[in-house]
Amino acid sequence: NNVSTTQFDVVVTDNELPVIANTPADISVNNDLGICGAVVTWTLPTASDNCDVDTLVSNHNSGDEFPVGTTTVVYTATDIYNNVSTTQFDVVVTDDELPVIAGTPADISVNNDLGICGAVVTWTLPTASDNCDVDTFVSTHNSGDEFPVGTTTVVYTATDIYNNVSTTQFDIVVTDNELPVIANTPVDINVNNDLGICGAVVTWTLPTASDNCSVDTLVSTHNSGDVFPVGTTTVVYTATDIYNNVSTTQFDIVVTDNELPV
């Protein structure tokens, strides 16, 4: 009954990685209305192992709100012997929501400012907002600019940080109601008849016309150097500007016959 023993160890190491199944494919969605992101859900992957899975964790959860852009979701499976496997997929959220422009002025109609071919026009500025952020908000014209006679369209353009663009516009209509100015109208002219005719050739210094915009025509019922009959003739000058505003001025030419019968 004498006994001896001896022994040795058999060491079995688990080096088999966990297996993660049903990893979602990459997910692409548009933003949810009014937010700079989207709530995204997916079917959860599963993990198995030749021994046992200890944990299966993710850096993001199904049902989370994901920001605009690309987010990588990583699942990590660890077995009870600390073997680790990972899998991943991308969640891509695209912002397709346009900026919102509020407070666009109605069309503005004004008369020209005195002495200029246009008008200084002001308005309350519109505003722009976005589900993400507005990058730029610009206009073709500024409140307080001088606008020419006619119709000018003012366009506001809002661009968000993801290059979605909205525009709005209104018209500024400037009407020229300023009359041309006629200067140097002659005073009434009194002359005797020219010898041998029942009238007289009469000359005068021509008047001139100016306008805040431009004079289109300056015409007269008679010309300097015409023969005027005995009696009173009214000479009328009419100035018309390029926007059909009209001014007139006049003077009389009185020819007296003092030639005796022969």
Side-chain angles (χ1 to χ4, degrees):
N1 293 323
N2 295 301
V3 178
S4 291
T5 62
T6 187
Q7 67 182 46
F8 65 95
D9 291 335
V10 176
V11 179
V12 179
T13 300
D14 175 26
N15 65 355
E16 188 169 334
L17 301 179
V19 176
I20 302 174
N22 302 318
T23 301
D26 291 342
I27 300 173
S28 295
V29 297
N30 290 327
N31 71 290
D32 292 340
L33 185 64
I35 66 173
C36 194
V39 173
V40 180
T41 60
W42 58 85
T43 301
L44 302 181
T46 58
S48 59
D49 190 68
N50 59 309
C51 292
D52 278 311
V53 175
D54 183 29
T55 58
L56 176 61
V57 295
S58 174
N59 59 348
H60 299 86
N61 296 316
S62 175
D64 283 352
E65 182 182 311
F66 289 81
V68 170
T70 299
T71 302
T72 300
V73 178
V74 181
Y75 274 86
T76 302
T78 306
D79 70 13
I80 58 176
Y81 293 110
N82 291 322
N83 294 298
V84 177
S85 292
T86 62
T87 186
Q88 66 184 52
F89 63 95
D90 289 335
V91 175
V92 182
V93 179
T94 301
D95 174 29
D96 66 348
E97 190 167 334
L98 301 180
V100 175
I101 302 174
T104 302
D107 292 343
I108 300 172
S109 295
V110 296
N111 291 325
N112 71 289
D113 292 341
L114 185 65
I116 65 172
C117 193
V120 173
V121 180
T122 61
W123 59 86
T124 301
L125 302 181
T127 58
S129 59
D130 189 68
N131 59 308
C132 291
D133 280 311
V134 175
D135 184 31
T136 60
F137 187 40
V138 296
S139 174
T140 53
H141 302 81
N142 296 317
S143 176
D145 283 351
E146 181 181 312
F147 290 81
V149 170
T151 299
T152 302
T153 299
V154 177
V155 181
Y156 276 86
T157 302
T159 305
D160 70 14
I161 58 175
Y162 294 109
N163 291 322
N164 295 299
V165 177
S166 292
T167 62
T168 187
Q169 65 184 52
F170 63 97
D171 288 337
I172 293 178
V173 182
V174 179
T175 301
D176 174 31
N177 66 353
E178 191 167 333
L179 302 180
V181 175
I182 303 174
N184 303 317
T185 302
V187 296
D188 293 343
I189 300 172
N190 293 278
V191 296
N192 292 325
N193 70 291
D194 292 342
L195 185 63
I197 64 172
C198 192
V201 173
V202 181
T203 61
W204 59 87
T205 301
L206 301 182
T208 58
S210 60
D211 188 69
N212 60 308
C213 292
S214 293
V215 175
D216 185 30
T217 60
L218 176 61
V219 296
S220 174
T221 53
H222 301 82
N223 296 315
S224 176
D226 283 353
V227 174
F228 288 81
V230 170
T232 300
T233 302
T234 300
V235 177
V236 180
Y237 274 87
T238 302
T240 305
D241 69 14
I242 58 175
Y243 293 109
N244 292 320
N245 295 297
V246 177
S247 292
T248 62
T249 187
Q250 64 185 50
F251 62 96
D252 288 336
I253 294 177
V254 180
V255 179
T256 302
D257 175 23
N258 64 355
E259 189 170 335
L260 300 177
V262 176

